[in-house]
Amino acid sequence: MLITHDVSAAMSSAEWSRRACLLAHQTNASRIYVEWNFGRDMCTLAIGTAWEALQNEGRIPTKQLMPLIDPVHAKQGKLLRAEPIAQQMVEDKVRLRGAFVDLENEWATWQPTDSDSPGRIDASCVLVYGLIPEVNKGAIVHAPLPTAPQPAQFGRQTGAAASAYGRRIGT
């Protein structure tokens, strides 16, 4: 999968919705993916309003249908959202086609402890989750490390219960 455009930035809902509509028109997109966890109806209303305004201004032909607005249910927390997409990039399943200095810089430098919200990372994650939905299924950021059984657990202890890693044999 190739990410070919990045028009993300910090902006108002009127600005981002217009940019999204213009990009959808420019690329002849059939869908606009939106994060559904936060904003829900606001996203749909903003995009619909922007599409109509751009048609009234003559920037989008009046007979062109607006792309489908497709919701993506993102995982809670930036790290949980971004980790599976970063893995897809490492495995060369997602690539950036073009020079996206701001997007690349955000991917390369963001840390889970950063107070800034990584908007470009979020936007690219929503896109990838929309295009490759199975990426969002079953991702594990950290599994608990197993603990080794203690030698005393396997000794001949009368009345001792079986440990989680073995069974007690004998009396």
Side-chain angles (χ1 to χ4, degrees):
M1 186 192 101
L2 296 174
I3 296 177
T4 60
H5 295 76
D6 176 31
V7 295
S8 58
M11 59 187 105
S12 70
S13 59
E15 292 172 301
W16 68 253
S17 58
R18 287 177 66 88
R19 280 200 190 178
C21 290
L22 287 170
L23 180 60
H25 169 65
Q26 175 190 353
T27 60
N28 199 28
S30 62
R31 297 172 190 270
I32 297 175
Y33 293 105
V34 295
E35 182 181 342
W36 206 244
N37 301 37
F38 304 101
R40 298 179 185 209
D41 295 334
M42 185 274 300
C43 294
T44 304
L45 178 62
I47 291 168
T49 302
W51 190 269
E52 184 179 339
L54 290 164
Q55 285 183 320
N56 290 338
E57 295 167 15
R59 297 188 68 189
I60 295 177
T62 56
K63 294 190 181 204
Q64 185 174 351
L65 294 176
M66 183 177 78
L68 173 70
I69 299 172
D70 206 352
V72 172
H73 298 277
K75 293 183 180 207
Q76 298 295 322
K78 308 290 183 196
L79 180 61
L80 287 176
R81 265 182 252 168
E83 196 272 341
I85 306 307
Q87 184 64 33
Q88 294 293 305
M89 290 178 168
V90 167
E91 293 177 5
D92 205 26
K93 293 180 181 178
V94 174
R95 294 182 186 179
L96 300 177
R97 182 178 175 220
F100 304 113
V101 176
D102 293 332
L103 177 60
E104 290 174 25
N105 186 46
E106 199 166 283
W107 269 107
T109 61
W110 184 78
Q111 296 292 317
T113 55
D114 289 351
S115 59
D116 291 334
S117 178
R120 287 183 172 85
I121 291 176
D122 280 348
S124 59
C125 286
V126 168
L127 174 64
V128 174
Y129 283 137
L131 294 173
I132 311 175
E134 51 278 354
V135 170
N136 202 16
K137 295 181 181 164
I140 297 174
V141 173
H142 175 71
L145 297 173
T147 56
Q150 301 300 315
Q153 291 176 325
F154 294 105
R156 294 179 142 262
Q157 300 170 348
T158 307
S163 74
Y165 294 97
R167 20 176 218 184
R168 188 171 53 86
I169 300 173
T171 56

